[in-house]
Amino acid sequence: MANEAVTRAYEVNLEVPETDPTEMSGAERRAALVSVGRAEACLAGWKTRLVNAERDQHGVEAVERVLREELQSSRREATRDVKSSAQLAELPVTSAGLEAGEIPAGHARLIARAASEGPIDESVLAEAAQRENYDKFAKTLRHHQQEMSDDDGQSIFDRQRENRTGRAFVSRETGMFVLSGEFDPTTGARIDTVLATKERELWNAEDPKSRRTPQQRMADALAELILEPGKGKAKGTALMVVADYDVVNQELVNARLADGSPIPTAELIRLACDADLLPGVFRAATQEMNLGRKRRTASDAQRAALIYRDKECIGCGTSAHRCFAHHVQFWRNGGPTDFANLVLVCNKCHHSIHDDGWEVTHEPATGRRSVDPPSDPFPDTGVDSYRPSHINPVLLS
């Protein structure tokens, strides 16, 4: 154990205000949270330097033991911290941003891992890490790796396929059977497509007044696919792969999955050999994309076009296969089932729109669509503007 006197001498002192968070204004509370995030990043940077110094002097096993015994980390966490610290030591721009509180620790770990897998432009990634949330930055990083790769990302894809894992065990804590796995992007997308289709099949068969939770439905869908593979085999589970056509060279380029994840050209060719290719040109002006009031639900062609355009839930990024085609102008208010009036949203974001007054917004300059809270989602006093007036708890009380 560390010497207590020495520990006190090197204790990191943070001045935490005595103000009760419940007495803060919304602006003050959010500013405090931002400050906490920066402090966490600074501490992570300091921890990285300490871990590297300990490793250099006493070795990997010694520093991992310190992390487990003194910081009470798990073996897996200790191994990860030592590995990422060593990687960050080779990334001065990222390390400086981390210690300055400008780059979150999770973003820094992503950059470190990417640098260990192939060439990157550290400055470009460090700049993006300062302004993008974790999910968006992870996508930015994957695209950057593809662009920097000298083999069309094939080596990255091969490594992902090589690192596939599966686990099946009974939890000692709960007695529940646990099944988990990690797959390369293409295999994962195919599994996700089939699983999501089965989930929709189960959802359609449920009693609307007694629905399963999304987690229960996914578990039941997985169990049915494994135990009863022939039961109600769902249609429309083809994998969507998008590619651009290079007119000059007359070849497909920039192959990617529906969510934008890049895949090597060699993988596109393999998919073309193993599955049917269904080429399509989506034109929102055509009658097929504009169904008016003839039907309420989106057609298969519209869903495919929506997956291509929106890629995922426009609110939270949930897989497109688990999304509804939502009418921006509500169907009950006369909204048509036209491509321009539809967006992909998950069940949770769908309820936020219909029940809590959230709105679909569209930026014409970028084409980006999003689900945003009402104009003043964090009022300091008065009405809770998250909810429309007819279900507002403040007004009702």
Side-chain angles (χ1 to χ4, degrees):
M1 299 294 288
N3 183 286
E4 290 187 7
V6 174
T7 300
R8 284 195 298 272
Y10 285 92
E11 194 170 279
V12 176
N13 295 310
L14 296 176
E15 294 185 8
V16 179
E18 295 182 359
T19 305
D20 185 343
T22 61
E23 297 177 354
M24 292 180 174
S25 68
E28 291 173 335
R29 199 159 40 243
R30 292 191 296 279
L33 282 171
V34 171
S35 178
V36 169
R38 292 179 67 90
E40 287 177 337
C42 293
L43 287 173
W46 174 231
K47 178 183 176 182
T48 293
R49 283 204 284 159
L50 291 170
V51 168
N52 283 331
E54 183 75 5
R55 183 205 66 226
D56 291 343
Q57 184 171 1
H58 298 293
V60 172
E61 291 185 5
V63 69
E64 286 187 1
R65 186 173 64 252
V66 170
L67 293 174
R68 292 197 306 271
E69 295 178 357
E70 306 294 345
L71 274 65
Q72 299 177 333
S73 298
S74 68
R75 184 176 297 275
R76 182 177 181 181
E77 289 174 331
T79 300
R80 185 201 65 181
D81 285 347
V82 173
K83 182 177 180 180
S84 63
S85 295
Q87 293 167 340
L88 283 169
E90 305 298 323
L91 299 169
V93 177
T94 304
S95 295
L98 181 64
E99 292 187 27
E102 298 170 349
I103 297 178
H107 292 55
R109 281 195 293 269
L110 287 179
I111 297 175
R113 191 209 66 214
S116 70
E117 295 176 342
I120 63 168
D121 186 327
E122 185 191 0
S123 297
V124 170
L125 291 179
E127 192 275 331
Q130 295 181 40
R131 54 182 170 78
E132 295 180 354
N133 64 39
Y134 186 88
D135 292 333
K136 185 176 182 180
F137 179 67
K139 292 182 180 180
T140 297
L141 185 142
R142 288 199 299 271
H143 284 287
H144 180 81
Q145 286 183 289
Q146 182 87 0
E147 292 172 357
M148 294 293 292
S149 172
D150 57 5
D151 61 358
D152 189 36
Q154 186 63 50
S155 59
I156 297 173
F157 189 87
D158 289 342
R159 181 166 53 251
Q160 290 172 326
R161 179 159 287 174
E162 181 70 21
N163 290 338
R164 65 189 183 278
T165 60
R167 301 177 69 210
F169 60 94
V170 175
S171 170
R172 294 179 180 177
E173 295 180 7
T174 65
M176 299 282 283
F177 179 76
V178 180
L179 179 65
S180 67
E182 292 186 63
F183 306 89
D184 65 79
T186 302
T187 303
R190 297 176 77 169
I191 293 172
D192 184 56
T193 303
V194 174
L195 186 57
T197 303
K198 176 59 69 173
E199 289 176 60
R200 286 199 300 274
E201 185 181 285
L202 295 179
W203 189 89
N204 290 331
E206 289 175 355
D207 179 353
K209 297 181 180 179
S210 180
R211 290 200 180 278
R212 287 168 274 206
T213 66
Q215 293 78 14
Q216 290 172 334
R217 192 177 301 112
M218 180 182 288
D220 292 345
L222 184 60
E224 189 170 302
L225 286 169
I226 294 174
L227 301 175
E228 303 176 76
K231 180 179 179 181
K233 192 171 183 180
K235 298 180 180 179
T237 56
L239 175 66
M240 176 179 285
V241 177
V242 182
D244 300 326
Y245 185 68
D246 185 339
V247 178
V248 176
N249 297 311
Q250 296 187 348
E251 63 181 5
L252 294 174
V253 297
N254 190 26
R256 56 204 184 273
L257 298 173
D259 65 357
S261 298
I263 59 175
T265 302
E267 179 65 9
L268 175 64
I269 295 173
R270 188 188 70 79
L271 289 171
C273 295
D274 294 347
D276 293 330
L277 284 181
L278 302 176
V281 178
F282 303 124
R283 299 184 184 277
T286 65
Q287 188 62 33
E288 187 178 16
M289 293 291 106
N290 295 317
L291 302 178
R293 300 284 295 178
K294 290 189 298 184
R295 59 180 285 175
R296 181 169 184 170
T297 57
S299 66
D300 290 342
Q302 285 177 320
R303 277 197 65 86
L306 286 170
I307 292 173
Y308 170 72
R309 187 194 70 190
D310 294 344
K311 298 181 176 57
E312 58 194 10
C313 171
I314 63 170
C316 65
T318 294
S319 169
H321 303 298
R322 292 183 172 78
C323 289
F324 297 90
H326 164 71
H327 292 74
V328 178
Q329 179 187 354
F330 292 179
W331 172 265
R332 67 169 180 261
N333 295 336
T337 306
D338 292 348
F339 181 67
N341 192 47
L342 299 173
V343 292
L344 289 180
V345 292
C346 68
N347 185 58
K348 183 177 180 180
C349 290
H350 206 200
H351 278 291
S352 293
I353 294 170
H354 283 283
D355 299 339
D356 297 338
W358 289 53
E359 301 174 347
V360 174
T361 58
H362 178 212
E363 297 178 10
T366 62
R368 182 177 179 273
R369 293 162 176 79
S370 60
V371 178
D372 300 318
S375 56
D376 184 18
F378 303 108
D380 293 335
T381 60
V383 176
D384 169 13
S385 63
Y386 260 123
R387 297 180 180 273
S389 59
H390 67 284
I391 56 173
N392 195 301
V394 176
L395 295 180
L396 290 177
S397 61

